Amino acid sequence: MFSLGAFTLYSSHDVIVKTLGGQYAPFQILFFSVLFGFPLVMLLLIRDTHAATLIPRHPWWMALRTAVVVVVGVCVFYAFSVLPLAQAYAIIFMMPFLITILSIPILGEKVGPRRWGAIIVGLIGVVVVIRPGGETLTLGHAAAVTGAALGALASVIVRKIGAEERSAVLLIYPMMANIVAMAIALPFVYQPMPFVDLALVAALSALAFCGGLFMIAAYRAGDAAIVAPMQYSQIIWAAVFGYVFFGETVDRLTWLGAAIIISSGVYIVLREASGGRSTTMPVLSENTRRPEVGTMPRISSLLRVMGKDHGKAPNRDQSRVFADDK
């Protein structure tokens, strides 16, 4: 229930992104979203009493991840702005397949024939949703695919370097890079924002932050294999919110493709949870399966910062989320 609540908040967050995206460029929305979210993150980092510097131990991997996260933010915000919500979600749901594929060269993960089969079936589902040749492919479709692919890369990089990098380093660098990059682009796209729109941007940060707190509660209350698949409830909210707020309808092919993608994604999660030929469990450990856009901390970083002060030992599945803290 905590997880379902979290993804309801995340879906509400994406509705606001789509609403603002009709009037403002993604650069402007991202800039103010990070700006409003920064104080919340600083309050969290105050809890981290570990004495160390903010110099990354893996500067090249960190630089790559930071650059990737900045691009992901622009792509995902743009995709939500121009695509129907259900279609954008269905495409972004391909992340577990891409994380599994990228884990082979980057993490040395061994993928067996069953998970390869799930990956192939899931990608077929993505093709069903996009329907190349059946409808005009737009820049929004390219942005969603790019956001999912680069989001998967950012997630796998965290799995690779997280064991040696501080949470503060993983949190601050993408946020600072977003502020700088968006500030450079802002003069070319800026539109004056009335108070109501600024309040909506502030709500973006609040929803993302509260969603993260709900996810923390979810991972403390249940196993990761139960919590992670709840992300797919967003497709229901996409249909509801899309219809209510934007007059969008979901056609049969989108539902069919989404069902194929979700079934394959759930299979991969459960396969990793059962220990099926997975040593690093890259999908299960990427615990929100939302592309990281640098506006708010990743859930595993939140767990690390907040979990230390609660003195609670993680259970067997939660320990996978904490693997980058060992």
Side-chain angles (χ1 to χ4, degrees):
M1 295 304 296
F2 278 126
S3 184
L4 287 171
F7 288 115
T8 301
L9 294 174
Y10 287 142
S11 297
S12 302
H13 169 284
D14 299 334
V15 167
I16 297 178
V17 171
K18 186 172 182 65
T19 300
L20 293 172
Q23 306 173 61
Y24 307 103
F27 307 102
Q28 184 168 343
I29 302 171
L30 271 168
F31 176 81
F32 286 105
S33 180
V34 178
L35 201 62
F36 283 123
F38 212 82
L40 299 174
V41 175
M42 291 301 102
L43 288 175
L44 285 176
L45 291 180
I46 291 174
R47 302 170 64 96
D48 187 0
T49 57
H50 181 68
T53 70
L54 293 177
I55 299 175
R57 297 181 181 179
H58 299 275
W60 293 112
W61 281 113
M62 182 61 66
L64 176 60
R65 171 179 173 261
T66 300
V68 163
V69 167
V70 171
V71 177
V72 169
V74 176
C75 288
V76 171
F77 275 42
Y78 179 75
F80 279 128
S81 299
V82 299
L83 292 180
L85 283 174
Q87 196 171 86
Y89 277 131
I91 297 172
I92 290 171
F93 283 165
M94 68 190 289
M95 272 189 65
F97 318 131
L98 300 177
I99 289 173
T100 303
I101 293 171
L102 290 172
S103 70
I104 299 172
I106 297 178
L107 301 178
E109 172 77 351
K110 297 185 183 301
V111 177
R114 294 182 182 179
R115 279 197 292 159
W116 272 120
I119 290 169
I120 293 171
V121 171
L123 294 178
I124 290 173
V126 175
V127 173
V128 171
V129 171
I130 298 177
R131 276 163 275 173
E135 67 174 44
T136 303
L137 296 181
T138 66
L139 187 59
H141 293 94
V145 171
T146 302
L150 294 182
L153 175 59
S155 295
V156 174
I157 290 175
V158 169
R159 292 295 300 160
K160 183 174 181 65
I161 67 176
E164 299 177 22
E165 295 288 1
R166 291 183 63 206
S167 292
V169 173
L170 296 172
L171 293 178
I172 289 178
Y173 276 77
M175 296 190 77
M176 293 301 299
N178 252 326
I179 288 179
V180 172
M182 300 309 121
I184 293 173
L186 198 57
F188 302 98
V189 299
Y190 179 76
Q191 296 289 333
M193 300 185 79
F195 176 79
V196 172
D197 290 349
L198 282 173
L200 285 175
V201 178
L204 282 179
S205 300
L207 287 168
F209 184 77
C210 292
L213 297 182
F214 269 64
M215 287 300 294
I216 289 174
Y219 276 98
R220 285 177 175 165
D223 291 343
I226 301 299
V227 173
M230 294 302 106
Q231 183 207 359
Y232 296 118
S233 65
Q234 288 180 293
I235 199 72
I236 299 174
W237 288 117
V240 174
F241 289 157
Y243 179 78
V244 171
F245 295 109
F246 309 107
E248 299 172 351
T249 56
V250 185
D251 59 34
R252 293 181 180 179
L253 281 179
T254 299
W255 279 121
L256 175 61
I260 295 171
I261 294 167
I262 291 170
S263 299
S264 302
V266 170
Y267 177 82
I268 290 176
V269 168
L270 297 179
R271 182 74 176 159
E272 287 194 357
S274 65
R277 292 176 175 266
S278 179
T279 56
T280 62
M281 287 169 279
V283 172
L284 191 63
S285 298
E286 291 311 312
N287 37 51
T288 63
R289 226 78 86 252
R290 289 174 61 84
E292 185 181 2
V293 298
T295 58
M296 273 290 150
R298 297 172 67 257
I299 303 304
S300 57
S301 297
L302 281 171
L303 278 164
R304 250 206 279 184
V305 172
M306 299 187 70
K308 290 178 181 179
D309 292 340
H310 284 74
K312 296 179 68 174
N315 64 25
R316 180 177 60 86
D317 282 307
Q318 286 171 325
S319 66
R320 296 167 184 162
V321 182
F322 279 95
D324 54 352
D325 197 29
K326 293 181 180 178

